[in-house]
Amino acid sequence: MCLNGWGGKLHEELVPYVAESAPDVLCLQEVVHSPSSDRDWLTYRDGDHILLQRANFFRDVARALPDHTATFCPAAQGVLWDEDQSIPSQWGLATFVHKSIPIIGQVQGFVHKGYSPVGYGDHPRSRSAHGIRVYDYNSDRCISVTHMHGLRDLNGKMDTPERAEQAQRLLALSRHISEPGDLRIVCGDFNVEPHSETLEILGAAGLSELVTGRGFTSTRNTQYKKSGKFADYMLISDADAVQEFNVVYNPEVSDHCPLVLTI
């Protein structure tokens, strides 16, 4: 499962959904980690953009998946707000892998800029990626899964040199964690349109895109009020390995839809 968790805004819906579905691998973007705070909720402020954030979203999901190994990959540390008090908070993505599945390799890096230790930074902000290599006993093969949260450009989701470089960096991380013969999966909230240069770069590397490739017309739900209904993608190196792929529109656990792949 690949999902942008929206900072845990729909915590009451998301956590039970994740606990019940308990995917073998969960790639989760937009994850908040504020270990110095015991508050349930804090507030993100960026000019006119004000958003409630689940203060310890990473902890909450980890508790919902007690049989999974949890890895948090921060992109930046800035501040969230408890009324007028600033609280240091890390922001990034996380990967959860069921403990029955051996993790035999990992790679963590940045697809845009580098770690921002003091403040979230100017837009487009730092973006990280995480890749794992696991051994699947059911299919007797190794599988690599690499995900990122693509940069957000205030001007929109158009192609830019930064996005092209980001795609190359993501591809390099996927290649680094993979070996010949591995089944490779690349996914995430890419923040691009279906006909983007990002997907062209990944497609030229032999990865098949499953969202539009399987006829889905959006990866957003009714929580998302803006135009542009695509953001999230999942690609695979061998389309014949796909048993089932689905974009989950209900329940609504974020303003993004979960992408669920069975192989």
Side-chain angles (χ1 to χ4, degrees):
M1 179 185 293
C2 179
L3 172 65
N4 179 317
W6 205 15
K9 184 177 179 180
L10 297 185
H11 171 266
E12 296 300 325
E13 292 79 15
L14 187 149
V15 170
Y17 171 74
V18 167
E20 181 178 356
S21 55
D24 290 331
V25 177
L26 170 63
C27 298
L28 189 65
Q29 301 92 48
E30 207 165 304
V31 180
V32 182
H33 181 48
S34 313
S36 64
S37 176
D38 60 0
R39 295 288 192 183
D40 289 335
W41 297 95
L42 296 170
T43 303
Y44 169 77
R45 300 173 185 167
D46 182 17
D48 294 334
H49 189 200
I50 299 174
L51 184 67
L52 270 180
Q53 301 276 274
R54 188 70 182 177
N56 281 292
F57 187 31
F58 175 63
R59 177 203 62 195
D60 295 340
V61 176
R63 286 179 176 174
L65 296 172
D67 295 325
H68 287 62
T69 299
T71 304
F72 175 67
C73 304
Q77 178 166 299
V79 297
L80 298 180
W81 295 89
D82 179 9
E83 295 183 349
D84 293 331
Q85 181 183 2
S86 63
I87 305 294
S89 181
Q90 295 173 16
W91 181 93
L93 48 80
T95 310
F96 304 82
V97 182
H98 195 277
K99 293 176 181 177
S100 65
I101 301 173
I103 301 172
I104 57 176
Q106 293 192 63
V107 62
Q108 179 179 347
F110 282 79
V111 291
H112 183 67
K113 297 182 177 177
Y115 181 66
S116 181
V118 183
Y120 297 122
D122 296 330
H123 293 285
R125 291 170 169 168
S126 299
R127 298 292 169 139
S128 59
H130 186 223
I132 57 168
R133 185 170 186 252
V134 301
Y135 190 83
D136 177 24
Y137 279 95
N138 291 327
S139 60
D140 190 26
R141 65 184 168 189
C142 294
I143 301 171
S144 74
V145 182
T146 307
H147 70 117
M148 75 164 180
H149 186 183
L151 67 87
R152 175 174 175 256
D153 191 315
L154 297 182
N155 295 315
K157 296 180 179 178
M158 65 290 177
D159 290 335
T160 63
E162 291 81 9
R163 283 192 165 114
E165 181 182 359
Q166 174 179 254
Q168 295 290 359
R169 289 188 180 187
L170 176 64
L171 190 56
L173 288 169
S174 173
R175 285 170 170 162
H176 180 76
I177 197 59
S178 306
E179 295 189 9
D182 287 2
L183 181 66
R184 296 168 61 201
I185 297 167
V186 175
C187 59
D189 172 7
F190 291 177
N191 266 323
V192 298
E193 297 292 346
H195 300 294
S196 66
E197 184 180 10
T198 293
L199 294 177
E200 289 178 0
I201 290 170
L202 297 176
L207 297 169
S208 299
E209 193 275 305
L210 298 177
V211 175
T212 59
R214 299 274 167 145
F216 293 97
T217 58
S218 174
T219 63
R220 297 287 202 166
N221 54 38
T222 63
Q223 300 292 326
Y224 188 71
K225 308 302 182 182
K226 302 177 185 178
S227 61
K229 297 302 183 181
F230 288 96
D232 313 272
Y233 300 92
M234 188 173 290
L235 301 96
I236 192 167
S237 61
D238 180 6
D240 291 337
V242 177
Q243 292 186 18
E244 185 177 357
F245 176 76
N246 197 26
V247 177
V248 180
Y249 297 101
N250 287 293
E252 295 186 348
V253 298
S254 168
D255 62 343
H256 295 253
C257 298
L259 311 183
V260 181
L261 170 68
T262 303
I263 53 176

